[in-house]
Amino acid sequence: MIKVAVLGYGTVGSGVVQVLQDNADVIRARVGEDIEVKYILDLRDFPGDKNEGLVVHDFNIILDDPEVNIVCETMGGVHPAYDFSMSALKAGKCVCTSNKELVENHGPELIATARANGCNYLFEAAVGGGIPIIRAMNTSLAQEKIVKIMGILNGTTNYILTKMAKDGVSYETVLKEAQELGYAERNPEADVEGHDAGRKIAILASLMTGKTVKFADISTEGITKINNRDFEYARKMGKSIKLIAVAECHDGVACIVAPFMIGADHPLNGVNGVFNAVHVTGNMLGDAMFYGQGAGKLATASAVVADVVDMARNMGRELPCVWDEEKLELADYKKLVKRFFVRATVKSRGEVLNTFGSIDEVDLFDEEFAFITSHMSEHDFDKKIANIKGVIKTIRVED
Ligand code: HSE
């Protein structure tokens, strides 16, 4: 019998307990033994909850109990999650987490501590909610040189952008709805300014390179400036607007999080609502896409429990994950080549044609002159666009 402790009985933690209990029979069949939740750590009591008897308030009860083999950390935040995870690993207990902030800040250290103590530290749920992308990066894609990752990695912003595109509703109304549905972070800025997606692409870029990519080094641009007129242009061109996190090999690895117009034929175009997707390009494999619910109680909990199952099947064995503490200096994302969508005042037409030469014009509003550039680096685009007066908006394009 494997005994599990769940740290934090919030949205994800209560989901983890539910998945372990409701799917106990299939999990038993696949692991070969029972997995039982022995403790739930939370500051609160849960009178009337069917698991209220499992709730403890002191982490040391879990740490000192030799029966507990696996700890699921679903608390969020760096402290005390870091301290609890470290102590559990040093006591030889496996730890899995949904906590992207902790993984991005301390992933390699926690992995190394797990290895030094004969256990594992897994974090499938930290990126893309229920999508099995971390395990795929560590196993199914281990033979590939990954040349590019493009991800819709934030459910809240994808939900907001999808609703704005389909229903023409305001950003504020949809944000409130997303928070009520439990998708948004406590601080919505982390979602809407692209920080949450930035942490997730930092983790994926670290696994892509085996070194540490820091979120602080990644340029992030959020969705707050996208408005209904942008969607009208996108619709006219068959494109969608998505918050995309990119990690791309180009004189090193460059990363950026920003809204992109996504072409009609790109697989990320139709990823809607709270769904996330990770589009991976390998040098031998070509393109592959991983798609699923990027946020929400049971989807995220399912990914945590996938780690529980993996660890339970491999007690005493090291699971594959190459992520060293050595910091990777990122390449300049402005060297990445792409097209750009521009909205400007109608008066700027002559200047635009002189500066950009060949463009694809998008005719929609009389008072605006909108177009898509040819392919160029972002440095070249910045130089050219600086010559144009009356620029209203620019959005990166991925065909
Ligand atoms: N706020 C996050 C999102 C939750 O919307 O994707 C999952 O990390």
Side-chain angles (χ1 to χ4, degrees):
M1 163 97 73
I2 306 269
K3 304 248 183 184
V4 172
V6 177
L7 312 186
Y9 202 46
T11 307
V12 179
S14 60
V16 168
V17 176
Q18 186 178 337
V19 173
L20 283 167
Q21 291 177 343
D22 290 1
N23 276 6
D25 51 349
V26 290
I27 292 170
R28 183 189 316 111
R30 285 167 191 161
V31 173
E33 59 186 313
D34 283 309
I35 299 188
E36 187 187 281
V37 179
K38 183 162 184 186
Y39 301 110
I40 296 166
L41 180 78
D42 206 286
L43 292 171
R44 301 160 293 180
D45 287 308
F46 295 89
D49 187 290
K50 75 169 183 168
N51 295 302
E52 67 171 310
L54 306 180
V55 175
V56 294
H57 305 301
D58 179 2
F59 176 66
N60 288 315
I61 295 171
I62 294 165
L63 195 60
D64 295 340
D65 187 337
E67 272 193 358
V68 174
N69 324 81
I70 296 176
V71 173
C72 303
E73 183 272 302
T74 55
M75 310 171 72
V78 174
H79 295 287
Y82 168 83
D83 316 85
F84 290 172
S85 301
M86 270 295 185
S87 308
L89 292 169
K90 284 179 182 163
K93 300 180 194 301
C94 290
V95 177
C96 58
T97 186
S98 56
N99 186 338
K100 76 220 105 180
E101 202 181 339
L102 180 60
V103 174
E104 192 274 320
N105 277 291
H106 295 286
E109 190 189 344
L110 289 155
I111 294 164
T113 305
R115 294 215 164 122
N117 289 281
C119 49
N120 285 292
Y121 182 73
L122 299 187
F123 45 92
E124 183 62 72
V127 178
I131 304 175
I133 181 63
I134 302 290
R135 191 161 284 98
M137 295 277 296
N138 286 333
T139 58
S140 323
L141 299 172
Q143 73 290 0
E144 288 290 320
K145 282 186 188 157
I146 308 288
V147 292
K148 187 168 180 181
I149 298 175
M150 288 189 70
I152 294 176
L153 295 177
N154 183 267
T156 303
T157 46
N158 207 42
Y159 179 84
I160 293 171
L161 292 173
T162 304
K163 275 269 187 180
M164 285 176 76
K166 291 207 164 134
D167 306 340
V169 268
S170 80
Y171 165 79
E172 289 75 18
T173 311
V174 198
L175 172 63
K176 196 159 168 280
E177 221 177 278
Q179 285 172 315
E180 277 161 16
L181 288 166
Y183 300 145
E185 299 293 311
R186 270 168 294 179
N187 172 5
E189 198 184 315
D191 293 303
V192 300
E193 295 298 349
H195 303 163
D196 176 75
R199 290 207 167 83
K200 292 169 180 169
I201 197 70
I203 295 170
L204 292 182
S206 298
L207 296 179
M208 175 179 170
T209 59
K211 296 186 179 156
T212 293
V213 172
K214 296 308 290 179
F215 159 61
D217 295 340
I218 298 177
S219 164
T220 56
E221 206 177 285
I223 63 161
T224 53
K225 295 194 185 84
I226 301 294
N227 62 28
N228 287 325
R229 209 164 247 210
D230 301 323
F231 284 111
E232 288 184 55
Y233 279 109
R235 196 174 306 122
K236 169 134 200 212
M237 295 182 281
K239 298 186 193 300
S240 56
I241 302 174
K242 304 286 179 193
L243 183 70
I244 303 287
V246 182
E248 184 171 349
C249 288
H250 185 91
D251 290 343
V253 172
C255 292
I256 181 172
V257 177
F260 276 68
M261 275 198 177
I262 301 289
D265 296 330
H266 196 288
L268 290 172
N269 178 288
V271 175
N272 287 324
V274 74
F275 279 83
N276 281 193
V278 189
H279 186 266
V280 181
T281 308
N283 67 333
M284 298 292 151
L285 170 75
D287 293 341
M289 192 161 95
F290 301 81
Y291 171 86
Q293 286 183 65
K297 175 174 167 161
L298 289 177
T300 309
S302 176
V304 175
V305 176
D307 285 344
V308 172
V309 168
D310 212 4
M311 295 191 294
R313 281 168 159 170
N314 291 285
M315 281 294 171
R317 272 196 296 272
E318 188 179 292
L319 288 164
C321 180
V322 178
W323 184 355
D324 293 337
E325 286 200 52
E326 186 190 339
K327 186 175 178 242
L328 184 80
E329 291 306 328
L330 287 176
D332 179 4
Y333 75 91
K334 291 209 170 196
K335 287 188 178 166
L336 298 177
V337 170
K338 58 181 82 69
R339 303 205 298 157
F340 297 83
F341 168 73
V342 180
R343 284 171 55 201
T345 55
V346 76
K347 284 189 194 147
S348 59
R349 192 168 203 282
E351 267 175 325
V352 167
L353 294 173
N354 280 339
T355 310
F356 283 94
S358 157
I359 53 162
D360 289 338
E361 205 173 321
V362 198
D363 193 12
L364 194 56
F365 298 103
D366 288 345
E367 69 283 15
E368 289 192 10
F369 178 63
F371 63 97
I372 294 190
T373 68
S374 56
H375 282 89
M376 62 187 69
S377 75
E378 200 153 329
H379 277 304
D380 285 346
F381 175 73
D382 286 352
K383 276 187 218 143
K384 288 179 195 286
I385 205 75
N387 294 324
I388 314 292
K389 290 182 206 76
V391 173
I392 300 167
K393 180 78 60 77
T394 66
I395 302 176
R396 296 166 183 86
V397 175
E398 177 79 21
D399 298 298

